Amino acid sequence: MFFNRFGNKTVKHLRKEQGLTARELAMMVKVGSNMIRKVDHFQIKNVPEPLKSKIEPVLRGK
């Protein structure tokens, strides 16, 4: 149930809920900020897997 609500939100929306900029999120998961900007408009469930597994815990607040 929780995943459905979480998975349907965009990366940008979840990032803003945590109070993070694209650059801050990129530094936390050790990827380029341009990579975060590319997937900013994607729903979290549609983000490619290697990146999704890195950013999901951060966006969940863990």
Side-chain angles (χ1 to χ4, degrees), residues 2-58:
F2 178 73
F3 178 75
N4 290 339
R5 286 184 265 156
F6 182 78
N8 289 330
K9 293 184 180 181
T10 63
V11 173
K12 183 175 183 178
H13 181 77
L14 294 168
R15 182 172 55 80
K16 292 295 181 176
E17 282 182 349
Q18 293 294 325
L20 297 171
T21 64
R23 188 174 193 180
E24 290 171 337
L25 179 59
M27 288 174 48
M28 291 174 92
V29 296
K30 296 181 175 101
V31 297
S33 60
N34 61 344
M35 182 66 76
I36 299 298
R37 288 189 194 108
K38 284 182 185 178
V39 298
D40 234 4
H41 66 281
F42 287 10
Q43 290 179 339
I44 192 70
K45 65 183 178 183
N46 296 331
V47 175
E49 185 49 47
L51 182 59
K52 180 181 175 181
S53 62
K54 290 180 182 179
I55 66 173
E56 193 172 4
V58 174

